[in-house]
Amino acid sequence: MSAPDRPVLLVIAHGSRDPRHAATVHALVRRVRALRPDVRVETGFLDFNVPSVRGVLESLETEGVRDVVALPLLLTRAFHAKADIPAVLADAPPRLRVRQAEVLGPSPLLLAALERRLYEAGLAPADRSSTGVVLASAGSSDPEASAVIADIAREWRHTGWCAVRPAFASASLPRTEDAVRQLRELGCARVAVAPYVLAPGFLPDRIARGAAGADVLADVLGPSPEVARVLLERYDAARVPVPAAVVA
């Protein structure tokens, strides 16, 4: 149960026909609850799965909840964060105060989660300098989101990997298989694909098919402890009012 002075955390997931998606989202939310038992955490889906975001908000309002932090379970600020989710939240019951938190990425914790998954897939820290990594995201038609992925790849390259190349499962290029080939041509001794996605589904499956020529394919980020910590960071930042500027 949430402490009286803490808003309810509403995690907003996209939803998918693939049952692995919802199962992964729920596993992540369970980890968040375990980390912060003083925070009430609910889950709502934009599409395909239940409960819907609106359904959760209406239930909370009926219970007498008045303060909610809505957290988009997204890695970049693309269309869903800029349009879909604000539109749903704007239609929330009027007695609810709903604040939208920032999306999860970018964050150093997410890079740590990516590396956790690579090591779980068989790489060792000693392999970094000889391994090229494909940072494979779902892709977006939003140029801001694509630029963020490219920036993350550049930043990650400076931590000791042979090379890091961004790739996209949709909307943008290159595809995963093209980035794998580029790293082979560059001379990396091994190539690893790190899916920068939160849960399994159609596009992550496309990333996996594109990784057929790689030596290592990491799992999706899923309910890794680093992702759970990012969720709580975004929640805390959204629930604490920003101090007003001091006028001299």
Side-chain angles (χ1 to χ4, degrees):
M1 180 63 67
S2 176
D5 61 336
R6 288 188 175 87
V8 171
L9 169 56
L10 172 57
V11 176
I12 300 180
H14 182 271
S16 171
R17 293 186 178 91
D18 189 323
R20 297 173 298 167
H21 174 89
T24 303
V25 170
H26 291 312
L28 174 59
V29 168
R30 285 194 297 272
R31 186 179 285 275
V32 172
R33 288 178 179 141
L35 287 174
R36 289 282 292 278
D38 59 323
V39 176
R40 178 176 175 182
V41 188
E42 300 292 341
T43 308
F45 295 91
L46 291 174
D47 207 352
F48 301 118
N49 302 103
V50 292
S52 68
V53 175
R54 178 163 182 79
V56 175
L57 291 172
E58 289 175 347
S59 295
L60 291 173
E61 192 264 350
T62 299
E63 288 181 33
V65 171
R66 292 293 175 263
D67 205 4
V68 176
V69 168
L71 194 154
L73 200 58
L74 300 168
L75 295 172
T76 59
R77 288 192 72 254
F79 181 78
H80 293 304
K82 295 177 179 178
D84 284 356
I85 291 174
V88 172
L89 298 181
D91 198 31
R95 284 183 288 182
L96 279 181
R97 179 190 184 205
V98 182
R99 286 168 282 180
Q100 182 175 331
E102 290 295 329
V103 298
L104 303 183
S107 167
L109 284 170
L110 294 178
L111 282 181
L114 286 165
E115 295 194 352
R116 170 190 291 273
R117 294 302 189 223
L118 286 170
Y119 295 147
E120 290 171 349
L123 286 181
D127 297 327
R128 294 173 76 94
S129 63
S130 58
T131 301
V133 179
V134 178
L135 179 67
S137 75
S140 172
S141 58
D142 188 317
E144 178 187 351
S146 299
V148 166
I149 301 301
D151 288 343
I152 293 170
R154 280 192 292 270
E155 176 185 347
W156 204 13
R157 164 66 183 87
H158 294 308
T159 64
W161 297 99
C162 173
V164 180
R165 293 286 187 273
F168 306 91
S170 67
S172 303
L173 295 174
R175 295 287 183 256
T176 302
E177 54 268 33
D178 299 325
V180 169
R181 186 174 60 253
Q182 291 169 8
L183 291 171
R184 292 283 188 211
E185 293 170 352
L186 193 63
C188 297
R190 66 183 60 79
V191 176
V193 174
Y196 191 60
V197 292
L198 288 166
F202 176 75
L203 293 177
D205 283 350
R206 181 179 287 177
I207 290 171
R209 290 193 298 272
D215 302 293
V216 173
L217 171 62
D219 199 358
V220 299
L221 296 175
S224 66
E226 295 86 358
V227 175
R229 287 168 57 197
V230 176
L231 260 73
L232 289 168
E233 283 186 356
R234 299 293 184 256
Y235 166 78
D236 286 332
R239 76 181 179 90
V240 177
V242 177
V246 177
V247 178

